[in-house]
Structure formats: C-alpha cells, structure tokens
Amino acid sequence: LSEQAFLDLLGATNLIPGPNSTEMAIHLGLLRGGWRGLVVGGACFIGPAMLIVLALAAVYVHVGSTPEAQWVLYGVKPVVIAIVAQALWGLSRKAVKGPLTLVAGLLALGATVLGLNPIAVLLAAGVLVMLVANARRLRGRALGILPLPIILGAGGSVPFSVGHLFLTFLKIGSVLYGSGYVLLAFLRADLVVRLGWLTDQQLLDAIAIGQVTPGPVFTTATFIGYVLGGTPGALLATLGIFLPSFLFVALSSRFIPRMRKSPWLGALLDGVNVASLALMAAVTWQLAMASLVDPWTIAAAAVSLALLVRWRLNTTWLIAGGALLGLLRSAI
C-alpha cells in the first residue's frame, strides 16, 4: 500500500462502528485478497488473542477465587485504571477540536452520569455537533424534530442465556465507536447495570485479563463469555462482537473513505468521537471507585500513570509490576 492509501484506510476504520485495529486488518485482507482475504485477515488477527484469553478465562474460573489470584488482581486493577486514564487523556487531545466538541463532550459526560443509554448519548452528541457546525447551511430550511431515544439505564437481574449473550455482544459490536476502551462503558451499562450478570469487580477482572494479552481489547468479550457460559458462551460472545466489523467493512469499503470529506458526516463523527470519550471517562471513574480501595492501590495507580505519561513505559511491564505488588502486599 502507498502511504496515502494507508491514511485513507485509517480514516475509513474511524467512520464505522467496531474495533479500529480489527477493521484495519479486515480492510487490508479485503484489499489484498478479496473476500477470502477479508475473512482470513480478520480471523488471523482475532484468533490468537481469542485463544489466549480463552485459556486465561479457564484458569480464572478454576483458581480466580484463590487468595493468590485475588492478590494478583488486587495489584493489576489499579494499573489498568491508569492505562485507561492515560489513553483517555491522549485521545481527548485529538477528539476535542474546539469549544463545540468540548461542550458536546461535557454534556455527554453529564448524561452518562445520569444513567442515560450510551447509544442515545452517542447519537445525541453526534447530531448536536453536526447541526451546530452546519448551522449556516440550515438557514432558510425547515427542520423536523429529530427523535432521539433517551433511555435510562434500568437495573435488575435478567436470567442468563447464551442466545441473549450473543445478541448483547452483537449489539455492542454494531454501535460502538471510538477507542476499544469505550467498550467498558457498553459492557458496564449492559452486563452490570441492565442485566445484572456481572459485578464491577468481575468486569475489572475481565478488563485486566484483556490488558495482559496481545490483540484487540474486544477479546474481553471472550473472557466474559467463558465466565458466564463456558466455551459456548466464549465463542458466541466473540462472534457477536466481531461479526459486525466484517459486515461493515464488506458493505462500506468502496465509499466510506469519502465520507469524512462531507461537512455533515464529518461533524457527526466528531460529536460521536467526543461522546465516546465521555462514556469512557464516566466508566473509568466508576471502576476506579471499585479498584482504588486503599493507599496501596491509589499509589499503584498514581505511579503507573506517571510512568506512562513521562516515560511511556510498556504496559506489559506495568501490569507485571502490579501483579508483583499484589503478591508482596499479601505477604505483609
């Protein structure tokens, strides 16, 4: 590929829902190998990480409740919070492009804290930025009322089924924009708040395992699927969250690189991106409250964040250090 073709490809992956890194692999496979390349490229990118996470999920289910494992997770979780916070800061410097996107992001943050549906928040922020940014083009035109679904997150427990699990991850994979870390907001809204299948601590464990392994963050779905429904649950959750990426790439590969040039669609994407970061910030704060439970964990998060910002230390070493801290803490 030429550099320009690579940049166009990078832009295309930001315009459709799903994990950007996975969609880039799928796009490359399609460009170089046609439809077979699309399938092979995506499967080869996802497969190794899925198998590693699946193996770790099996270990977690069998020994995750042991004291040793609990202490390891005790040290790793604050590091994960620091990693997500550092990613949030870096992404926000690109997503907040001016006063309009800043206001949209703050409104989205407030709506998330109030418990509004994440999909509604993304849609509302995108439409807001699109309309305000193109206000001059709207002069003299009559506008209909845009129906925006504002759905409060309903709590309560729902009986588990692998079919419902598949549909939940299929929905998440179909609507999630932005960094893979935005996945945390959707997972918490659906699996913790709405369905009651996971606790915040289990969600943090899943995120920690996803950080330890190579590959896309979306393989967190594999871990959650295994914890909830064994191997069938892991396979269906993985299929559900990644299937939309294959479909979107197949359907949009010819025309979506041109969409960014549209002032309407470009502004819509700007609003969705900044709202994605607002979702990510709100959930990071909520999960931090569950993991930063004493001076040790607060210090671990602070030191990890400093090392990331100042020296950009590899996250693998940070996670290993967090695990060591947990084991040392258990001996005190």
Side-chain angles (χ1 to χ4, degrees):
L1 291 178
S2 66
E3 288 188 0
Q4 185 57 54
F6 180 79
L7 288 173
D8 291 343
L9 180 59
L10 182 62
T13 59
N14 283 318
L15 287 168
I16 54 178
N20 295 349
S21 58
T22 304
E23 286 165 351
M24 181 169 288
I26 298 171
H27 265 293
L28 287 170
L30 179 63
L31 289 175
R32 303 304 301 171
W35 296 108
R36 287 182 297 180
L38 177 145
V39 175
V40 171
C44 289
F45 187 78
I46 297 166
M50 183 198 74
L51 293 175
I52 294 171
V53 172
L54 186 61
L56 291 175
V59 173
Y60 174 85
V61 168
H62 289 93
V63 304
S65 59
T66 63
E68 294 81 4
Q70 289 298 312
W71 279 114
V72 167
L73 291 171
Y74 164 90
V76 168
K77 290 174 187 176
V79 176
V80 171
I81 294 297
I83 292 171
V84 176
Q86 191 269 340
L88 175 62
W89 172 251
L91 292 168
S92 66
R93 297 170 67 182
K94 297 179 180 179
V96 180
K97 299 180 176 180
L100 175 57
T101 50
L102 176 60
V103 170
L106 293 175
L107 290 174
L109 180 61
T112 303
V113 172
L114 291 175
L116 272 65
N117 183 277
I119 300 174
V121 173
L122 291 175
L123 178 60
V127 171
L128 172 65
V129 174
M130 179 181 69
L131 293 179
V132 175
N134 293 278
R136 292 182 179 179
R137 295 181 176 87
L138 294 174
R139 289 177 181 175
R141 301 181 185 181
L143 287 178
I145 298 176
L146 294 172
L148 299 180
I150 305 300
I151 306 171
L152 290 174
S157 179
V158 176
F160 172 79
S161 71
V162 290
H164 197 165
L165 177 73
F166 170 76
L167 292 176
T168 298
F169 278 102
L170 183 68
K171 180 196 73 173
I172 292 173
S174 300
V175 300
L176 196 153
Y177 272 93
S179 162
Y181 293 110
V182 182
L183 174 67
L184 311 186
F186 284 82
L187 291 178
R188 189 176 187 279
D190 276 333
L191 300 178
V192 177
V193 177
R194 185 171 65 86
L195 299 173
W197 291 348
L198 293 177
T199 65
D200 276 336
Q201 288 295 336
Q202 289 174 316
L203 179 58
L204 274 169
D205 293 346
I207 298 164
I209 295 297
Q211 285 291 329
V212 171
T213 57
V217 177
F218 275 43
T219 50
T220 300
T222 307
F223 181 91
I224 293 173
Y226 188 90
V227 169
L228 294 175
T231 301
L235 296 177
L236 283 173
T238 306
L239 176 64
I241 202 165
F242 284 110
L243 181 59
S245 295
F246 287 89
L247 297 177
F248 284 134
V249 170
L251 294 173
S252 64
S253 59
R254 292 187 178 181
F255 65 86
I256 205 165
R258 302 188 183 97
M259 291 174 63
R260 185 39 117 164
K261 298 177 182 178
S262 166
W264 293 91
L265 294 177
L268 177 69
L269 182 61
D270 288 339
V272 169
N273 284 342
V274 76
S276 296
L277 295 183
L279 293 175
M280 180 176 159
V283 174
T284 300
W285 175 260
Q286 291 162 340
L287 294 178
M289 295 300 98
S291 62
L292 306 183
V293 294
D294 56 29
W296 288 85
T297 50
I298 294 172
V303 170
S304 298
L305 186 59
L307 291 173
L308 282 168
V309 172
R310 180 63 179 86
W311 289 284
R312 300 192 181 277
L313 190 66
N314 188 289
T315 56
T316 302
W317 293 110
L318 285 175
I319 291 171
L324 179 60
L325 171 65
L327 293 174
L328 293 174
R329 181 74 177 87
S330 68
I332 297 177

